[in-house]
């Protein structure tokens, strides 16, 4: 299996969960070779590899996916996890900053995932599983990063379209859409006082841990999950159920 953006956060938890279940993992990173190698060396089992690419670069994606498939002898599972959250409040940023944030966010979160999927399908000759890591921002708005919300809404729609297109090939496409998860991406948001308000959104009074997202990814990648193809799992600890 291949997981993008695996050197830290949710991707690292996903890689760890798959290795614990006995899978060989291709650990993708962009610019963190030491973290990726540290993860590889600590995973249970043999045969894990580290692969590198900027997922916003289509040629690099193709090289990276081919390399991962070559090392693992094909691909059974691919998890599109790499992503960025760039703040660009519409009333505060310049037109140039607005352009740059939209470009970089869509190139990474949406086009990167689309390109990984295209390349991965070519290595799934015996069927497979594609799992996309989307976000609650796809449904509920991201006022500070509208491109992020749009990229994840696009990812949801892409996942549903690919689920239909790939079913005849024995490939399923599932999506998880977490709310706040405790990672480097949310460090700043989760500091008081805003963090207290965020934690209060869930009746559990906390945000998710990366391992809780990884567990849903493992389910969507399992042989039992064929009927979950096209599904978007809204993983939010019962948040947003009260008005
Ligand atoms: P993170 O910042 O720790 O991890 C993101 C990973 O993506 C990093 O390893 C980063 O290097 C990689 N990445 C970013 N741009 C890249 C690029 N151009 N090429 C290659 N790799 C790139 O944050 P995280 O919370 O672990 O995020 C993982 C995924 O989960 C993201 O897609 C994010 O949008 C999504 N998500 C996170 C939360 C949250 O609250 N943390 C909530 C919903 C969805």
């Amino acid at each position: 299996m291949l997981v993008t953006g695996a050197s830290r956060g949710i991707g690292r938890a996903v890689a760890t969960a798959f290795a614990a279940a006995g899978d060989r993992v291709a650990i993708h990173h962009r610019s963190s070779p030491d973290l990726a190698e540290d993860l590889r060396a600590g995973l249970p089992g043999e045969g894990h590899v580290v692969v590198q690419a900027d997922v916003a670069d289509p040629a690099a994606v193709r090289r990276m996916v081919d390399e991962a498939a070559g090392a693992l002898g094909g691909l059974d599972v691919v998890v599109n996890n790499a992503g960025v959250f760039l703040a660009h409040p519409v009333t505060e940023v310049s037109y140039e900053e607005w352009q740059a944030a939209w470009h970089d966010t869509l190139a990474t979160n949406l086009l990167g995932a689309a390109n990984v999927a295209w390349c991965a399908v070519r290595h799934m000759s015996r069927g497979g599983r594609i799992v996309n890591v989307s976000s609650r921002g796809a449904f509920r708005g991201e006022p500070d990063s509208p491109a992020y919300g749009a990229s994840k809404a696009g990812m949801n729609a892409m996942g549903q379209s690919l689920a239909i297109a790939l079913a005849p090939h024995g490939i399923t496409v599932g999506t998880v859409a977490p709310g706040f998860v405790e990672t480097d991406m949310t460090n700043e948001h989760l500091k008081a006082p805003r963090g207290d308000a965020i934690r209060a959104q869930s009746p559990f009074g906390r945000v998710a841990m990366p391992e809780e997202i990884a567990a849903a990814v493992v389910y969507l990648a399992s042989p039992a999950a064929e009927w979950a193809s096209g599904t978007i799992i809204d993983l939010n600890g019962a948040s947003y159920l009260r008005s």
Side-chain angles (χ1 to χ4, degrees):
M1 69 85 56
L2 164 67
V3 53
T4 65
S7 63
R8 66 185 202 186
I10 295 169
R12 195 174 181 96
V14 167
T16 303
F18 276 88
D23 286 287
R24 284 194 300 148
V25 182
I27 299 159
H28 160 264
H29 72 98
R30 175 182 47 182
S31 49
S32 309
D34 293 347
L35 281 176
E37 176 51 32
D38 168 69
L39 173 64
R40 190 200 64 75
L43 289 180
E46 302 289 321
H48 312 298
V49 294
V50 170
V51 290
Q52 184 279 334
D54 180 343
V55 298
D57 175 347
V61 165
R62 195 164 190 182
R63 173 193 45 72
M64 180 275 289
V65 175
D66 288 351
E67 188 183 333
L72 300 178
L75 285 174
D76 53 355
V77 175
V78 170
V79 180
N80 267 317
N81 167 78
V84 284
F85 181 99
L86 304 172
H88 52 286
V90 63
T91 54
E92 294 174 30
V93 295
S94 69
Y95 195 42
E96 290 70 26
E97 290 166 333
W98 179 256
Q99 299 298 320
W102 274 88
H103 178 274
D104 293 352
T105 302
L106 293 178
T108 301
N109 296 5
L110 182 55
L111 303 183
N115 290 336
V116 168
W118 188 96
C119 295
V121 163
R122 266 88 196 145
H123 296 287
M124 291 182 164
S125 53
R126 295 183 296 277
R129 299 276 185 264
I130 297 172
V131 183
N132 295 324
V133 181
S134 178
S135 168
R136 133 214 110 104
F139 323 112
R140 303 194 61 89
E142 287 287 357
D144 287 342
S145 186
Y148 183 85
S151 72
K152 297 300 190 178
M155 181 179 239
N156 291 354
M158 176 181 74
Q160 292 174 320
S161 300
L162 291 182
I164 300 167
L166 293 172
H169 302 275
I171 300 171
T172 68
V173 186
T175 302
V176 293
F180 278 93
V181 186
E182 207 170 292
T183 69
D184 289 338
M185 187 179 276
T186 53
N187 265 346
E188 285 303 311
H189 300 95
L190 292 175
K191 287 182 180 158
R194 191 174 166 214
D196 295 335
I198 290 169
R199 281 181 277 273
Q201 289 172 348
S202 166
F204 293 104
R206 65 178 181 87
V207 299
M209 298 306 291
E211 292 73 20
E212 294 173 302
I213 312 308
V217 172
V218 168
Y219 162 66
L220 287 173
S222 70
E226 183 168 279
W227 216 239
S229 195
T231 298
I232 301 164
I233 301 182
D234 185 358
L235 273 178
N236 280 294
S239 307
Y240 323 118
L241 298 176
R242 293 171 298 193
S243 57

